[in-house]
């Protein structure tokens, strides 16, 4: 079974909307009444309700600056490694699972980069037409997607994939859904 969800940022809150299930709410910090292990600084909580009373997972910053995804009973589900802020060309996001599996996701898969090269002349024509007209261009992003795979599997199936529209897909056997939710928020969360 494949889990598909979309992230929805709002001015007051942030939530993930899985297809066919209740939304997952994201709150800053740790929930009240849930102490954290020593040396952990809370970043955000994934909860089933808007108040955060029933957390699914808590993402904390550990000593050394790495993000850890913890279950409500403080069991470590995964470690998230984000790229440096200054990295511009194909930043790499990593998910380290407790069994030693590493999933690495680079922005811009080979098919999406090829599609970008094919579409580039049309985009340049569109931008030239926008420059000649008085319409606002808005925020433009490259048509790229991100796929988290095991290292060395260039053409293998992705455990987690993000489309250009901000929709995430998780294979049923590849990754815990709480880790996928945490990675989706951590990628766009303010650092």
């Amino acid at each position: 079974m494949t889990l598909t969800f979309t992230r929805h940022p709002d001015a007051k809150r942030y939530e993930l909307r899985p297809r066919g299930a209740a939304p997952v709410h994201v709150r800053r910090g740790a929930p009240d009444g849930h102490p954290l292990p020593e040396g952990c600084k809370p970043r955000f909580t994934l909860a089933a309700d808007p108040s955060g009373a029933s957390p699914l997972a808590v993402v904390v910053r550990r000593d050394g600056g790495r993000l850890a995804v913890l279950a409500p009973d403080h069991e470590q589900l995964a470690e998230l490694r984000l790229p440096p802020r200054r990295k511009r060309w194909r930043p790499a996001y990593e998910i380290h699972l407790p069994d030693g599996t590493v999933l690495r996701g680079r922005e811009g898969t080979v098919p999406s980069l090829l599609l970008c090269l094919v579409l580039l002349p049309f985009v340049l024509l569109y931008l030239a037409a926008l420059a000649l007209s008085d319409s606002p261009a808005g925020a433009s992003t490259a048509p790229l997607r991100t796929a988290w795979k095991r290292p060395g599997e260039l053409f293998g199936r992705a455990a987690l994939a993000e489309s250009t529209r901000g929709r995430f897909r998780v294979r049923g056997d590849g990754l815990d859904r709480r880790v996928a939710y945490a990675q989706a928020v951590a990628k766009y969360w303010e650092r």
Side-chain angles (χ1 to χ4, degrees), residues 108-183:
T109 60
V110 173
S112 68
L113 289 171
L114 291 175
L115 179 65
C116 188
L117 286 175
V118 168
L119 293 177
L120 186 61
F122 299 110
V123 171
L124 291 175
L125 286 172
Y126 174 72
L127 290 176
L130 275 179
L132 296 175
S133 71
D134 53 346
S135 327
S140 62
T141 58
L144 300 177
R145 55 185 283 262
T146 304
W148 283 261
K149 300 178 181 183
R150 288 174 173 74
E153 293 184 10
L154 183 61
F155 296 105
R157 290 192 61 178
L160 172 66
E162 177 192 11
S163 71
T164 58
R165 294 178 294 168
R167 183 166 286 150
F168 290 82
R169 290 177 100 52
V170 182
R171 284 193 8 215
D173 60 346
L175 191 61
D176 187 341
R177 63 185 171 90
R178 297 173 291 184
V179 174
Y181 294 154
Q183 177 61 56

